[in-house]
Amino acid sequence: MIVPSNSPKFNLRIPQEVKEALEKKAAHEGRSMNSEIMKRLMDSLKVEGIDFAHSQNSEAPTA
């Protein structure tokens, strides 16, 4: 998922083991950490019935 550079930023503290697990999964899936975290957040919101207009699997830049 490509997120425009002018999107809001949010600092997040997470346990080291969670960070390492995310890094490992992101590398395995060929995604950046940001893309991995975004995918997981969006997937969890989708399960709760919250969906977004753009595709969460889109890898194409959006101008």
Side-chain angles (χ1 to χ4, degrees), residues 12-38:
L12 177 68
R13 292 186 184 102
I14 58 174
Q16 183 66 33
E17 60 270 15
V18 174
K19 179 180 180 276
E20 291 169 0
L22 285 166
E23 288 172 333
K24 184 176 180 180
K25 188 65 175 174
H28 183 262
E29 297 295 327
R31 288 192 274 267
S32 67
M33 278 286 285
N34 192 77
S35 291
E36 185 66 25
I37 292 167
M38 283 296 303

Side-chain angles (χ1 to χ4, degrees), residues 40-62:
R40 289 171 176 273
L41 286 171
M42 291 176 73
D43 286 351
S44 70
L45 290 170
K46 189 173 182 179
V47 166
E48 294 181 13
I50 301 169
D51 208 349
F52 300 88
H54 61 343
S55 170
Q56 58 184 302
N57 296 321
S58 175
E59 293 295 330
T62 57

